[in-house]
Amino acid sequence: MTAPPTFTNLIRFVDQNDLEHYGDVCDGNLNDILGITVPVLDGDLFNLRQTDEQGELCVIISKTGKNIPEDEALDYVLGISAGNDLSSRYWQRPPRSGGQFTYAKSFDHFAPIGPTILHRSQLTPNSSFQIKTSVNGEIRQNGSTSDMIFGIEQIVAHASKGTTLRQGTVIMTGTPSGIAAAMPGEPWLQHGDVVEVEIDGVGLLRNKLNFEANE
């Protein structure tokens, strides 16, 4: 028996053949699930549908800090790099997301960064970098960090409020316009697509999408 996922009262269980399944328990059975019939989900639980590219400037933390003042933020930065904040919009959008984005962005091999690090000595409060993202040679994003509402110093200071930023932490700072989710027809990334993220002064990050068979 199959049913569209509601993800309201999701449970994981094994059947008589020791096969693992996921299903939703109705509200009336939450306190007693023994012996009840559970609608089984249709196998979409780990489907990486609607994968989207997002070229972003990445900030790499050089030393551990907490409650970092804005005027000292660059002292905690090793440098910047390019990143692709890959996102499965299928798992980011309701009802599957539950209002949370982390799961949709945390699959194996998501969030590649590189190829080099531009040292903080090359950064100033007025530094501006061009960010360009292409898919199979088609430019989809072409923006500038000058369009960012908050600069690197403000982002680091805010992210460290009440939270320890460990050495080696990477902060992705947001993406320009041009994501597939906002384009006509929503041209999602496909198996074999090549995504390139280029940031002036940093270099070009190139990745080929290789979806596993069960995805």
Side-chain angles (χ1 to χ4, degrees):
M1 181 177 182
T2 61
T6 65
F7 291 82
T8 303
N9 304 317
L10 186 66
I11 65 168
R12 181 174 65 177
F13 61 94
V14 294
D15 63 15
Q16 64 270 24
N17 298 315
D18 288 330
L19 296 176
E20 189 174 88
H21 300 282
Y22 293 79
D24 282 313
V25 179
C26 67
D27 291 341
N29 293 119
L30 282 178
N31 295 322
D32 185 11
I33 64 173
L34 185 64
I36 66 172
T37 298
V38 178
V40 178
L41 301 189
D42 62 6
D44 284 340
L45 192 62
F46 298 110
N47 192 313
L48 299 189
R49 297 178 183 175
Q50 303 175 356
T51 303
D52 204 349
E53 75 282 346
Q54 294 182 114
E56 303 193 14
L57 179 140
C58 299
V59 179
I60 303 169
I61 299 300
S62 61
K63 61 181 180 179
T64 299
K66 180 178 179 181
N67 298 322
I68 301 170
E70 187 176 321
D71 59 359
E72 298 177 15
L74 285 184
D75 294 336
Y76 290 80
V77 172
L78 173 64
I80 62 171
S81 191
N84 183 3
D85 186 18
L86 288 166
S87 302
S88 173
R89 305 299 185 190
Y90 181 78
W91 292 108
Q92 185 175 328
R93 293 170 168 174
R96 292 164 291 275
S97 68
Q100 303 294 319
F101 287 7
T102 304
Y103 184 70
K105 296 172 176 284
S106 302
F107 295 103
D108 285 350
H109 308 298
F110 274 32
I113 63 172
T116 62
I117 299 172
L118 183 67
H119 192 262
R120 69 168 181 267
S121 61
Q122 305 301 308
L123 304 177
T124 69
N126 297 318
S127 292
S128 178
F129 300 91
Q130 198 72 17
I131 302 178
K132 187 182 298 182
T133 307
S134 65
V135 178
N136 301 325
E138 174 197 0
I139 297 176
R140 293 195 178 178
Q141 296 181 291
N142 192 1
S144 171
T145 58
S146 62
D147 296 329
M148 292 169 58
I149 298 174
F150 302 106
I152 292 174
E153 298 90 341
Q154 293 171 298
I155 291 172
V156 171
H158 178 76
S160 70
K161 288 182 178 178
T163 300
T164 300
L165 296 183
R166 303 293 181 186
Q167 182 184 45
T169 296
V170 177
I171 303 173
M172 288 185 159
T173 60
T175 196
S177 61
I179 58 174
M183 296 176 66
E186 297 184 331
W188 307 117
L189 296 175
Q190 304 297 320
H191 178 79
D193 283 351
V194 175
V195 181
E196 296 179 334
V197 178
E198 185 175 12
I199 299 182
D200 290 346
V202 175
L204 187 147
L205 170 69
R206 179 185 293 111
N207 296 102
K208 183 175 182 179
L209 276 291
N210 183 17
F211 293 139
E212 296 177 3
N214 66 345
E215 296 173 349

